[in-house]
Amino acid sequence: MRVVAVEEHMATEAFLRAAHGLDVAPGDQAEMNGMRTMESDPAFRTRLTDLAARLREMDALGQDMAVLSLNPPGVQAYPAADAVPLAREFNDALAEIVRRHPDRFGGLATVTPQAPEAAATEIERAMGALGLNGIMINSHTGGHYLDEPRFAPLLAAAEASGAPVYLHPRVPSMLGPYLPHGLLGAIWGYQAEAGLHAMRLILSGTLDRHPGLTVVLGHLGEGVPYWLRRIDNRHAFAAATAGAATPMPRLSLTPSEYFRRNFVLTTSGMDDPDVLGLALRAVGEDRVMFAVDHPYEDPRAALDFLRNTPLTDGRRTAIAHRTAERVFNLTG
């Protein structure tokens, strides 16, 4: 069985040297201090940068392909004047890696939501001349979300270019309640942040304006599938009952219909057969993809889960490679 993993982070030494010397936007210091500490650890840094070792590991585990993306939060914490050229340089390097190993690596470009017009131009270049397979947005940028009008050029370029938008978590834009007890990151804050962002895209009418947009959510949907029935129920109630919600636009579809139409989920970090079953029922077997979340999760455990979880052959094949090949336009 061919296996393609689609949330596989990396960095280059050139990117890390440049990025670690940049100023960080106000409000992002806590996240970036933590990430820079991790990226400076020799063992972790090697896991990000040594792609020859990555290929050896993939061979040993029977993983055919990885769709690579820049370690989060990408360039979104940096001033636009620094971030725009840094994103271009990284995307050039990523495209060269993919060109050298077209049967082993795909790539998601990094872009600069803090400079939406430049991001739109870079999406067109990434999907055109560079031949990459989509983009990754690490949730909010300076506390701003993709449903806001300022980001319309970015979303229009993604839709027109056929660029799937992998909406990856990061530390929430509202830090206070998450700071104690380890809640800021992957234990809870990441999925709360990415799930919020997905719901903003749905309830804002953004997906009426960009019906062809494909949004990828990791971690089997960042909690949203669990809530879909209640979201539809309460949205209908709020639309019909004065005072039941803050003002919201009229939508063409129910929230769950947007979720099933525009979103694709990955298994990254969620090796749980019950949650996988819920996700499959929520969106269908043709909208769930395999991911490891390298280097943050154990590739062996993720692949064991893919191979041994009770599934029909058709579902396992779709999750393992067929859906990823369609969504990211990968060659088999």
Side-chain angles (χ1 to χ4, degrees):
M1 179 179 64
R2 177 170 161 80
V3 176
V4 178
V6 300
E7 187 185 319
E8 315 310 315
H9 303 303
M10 52 83 67
T12 64
E13 283 290 347
F15 174 86
L16 293 175
R17 286 193 298 270
H20 284 209
L22 296 177
D23 292 333
V24 174
D28 290 335
Q29 287 89 347
E31 179 177 18
M32 293 307 298
N33 287 345
M35 186 56 70
R36 285 176 172 179
T37 298
M38 292 180 66
E39 290 172 342
S40 297
D41 174 77
F44 185 83
R45 192 178 184 107
T46 296
R47 294 279 287 166
L48 286 174
T49 61
D50 190 343
L51 293 181
R54 178 95 55 112
L55 287 171
R56 291 193 296 271
E57 181 178 62
M58 289 166 59
D59 289 340
L61 296 174
Q63 178 186 329
D64 297 277
M65 194 171 197
V67 179
L68 301 175
S69 53
L70 179 59
N71 197 43
V75 299
Q76 288 168 237
Y78 303 125
D82 297 316
V84 170
L86 188 60
R88 286 181 59 88
E89 290 165 11
F90 173 80
N91 292 335
D92 286 341
L94 178 59
E96 178 57 29
I97 290 165
V98 172
R99 280 193 291 270
R100 289 202 306 268
H101 305 280
D103 56 336
R104 306 307 303 275
F105 293 135
L108 302 182
T110 193
V111 298
T112 53
Q114 61 269 55
E117 294 286 354
T121 299
E122 188 64 3
I123 290 168
E124 293 165 359
R125 189 177 79 99
M127 298 301 291
L130 295 187
L132 295 174
N133 306 99
I135 65 171
M136 180 166 280
I137 302 288
N138 295 283
S139 198
H140 73 89
T141 304
H144 294 281
Y145 293 83
L146 292 174
D147 59 282
E148 298 176 37
R150 69 175 70 188
F151 299 114
L154 187 162
L155 295 181
E159 185 179 27
S161 301
V165 178
Y166 203 122
L167 190 61
H168 190 275
R170 64 176 299 192
V171 165
S173 59
M174 180 178 64
L175 295 179
Y178 295 95
L179 283 171
H181 320 307
L183 290 168
L184 198 63
I187 295 173
W188 190 255
Y190 283 0
Q191 64 86 14
E193 167 64 29
L196 168 68
H197 203 149
M199 289 305 303
R200 287 184 63 130
L201 289 174
I202 292 169
L203 294 186
S204 63
T206 297
L207 299 176
D208 281 336
R209 296 188 292 276
H210 301 284
L213 192 67
T214 296
V215 181
V216 182
L217 285 179
H219 315 107
L220 287 173
E222 309 293 6
V224 177
Y226 186 92
W227 286 93
L228 279 178
R229 184 181 180 91
R230 179 167 174 79
I231 291 165
D232 276 355
N233 176 278
R234 293 297 87 192
H235 184 264
F237 177 83
T241 307
T246 53
M248 57 187 191
R250 184 179 298 274
L251 302 179
S252 299
L253 304 175
T254 65
S256 66
E257 286 172 329
Y258 293 107
F259 196 73
R260 294 183 175 99
R261 185 189 73 181
N262 292 92
F263 287 81
V264 185
L265 314 183
T266 84
T267 64
S268 56
M270 293 292 286
D271 299 343
D272 185 323
D274 294 326
V275 181
L276 177 59
L278 171 67
L280 288 166
R281 289 190 296 275
V283 299
E285 67 183 39
D286 62 341
R287 303 190 81 81
V288 178
M289 302 180 286
F290 175 69
V292 174
D293 199 359
H294 188 287
Y296 298 96
E297 298 285 349
D298 179 359
R300 184 177 299 279
L303 282 154
D304 286 347
F305 172 71
L306 173 65
R307 291 178 174 129
N308 298 322
T309 295
L311 292 166
T312 66
D313 289 345
R315 281 187 165 183
R316 200 181 316 276
T317 298
I319 294 167
H321 68 93
R322 194 174 64 225
T323 299
E325 289 163 354
R326 183 190 79 246
V327 170
F328 292 118
N329 194 28
L330 302 170
T331 56

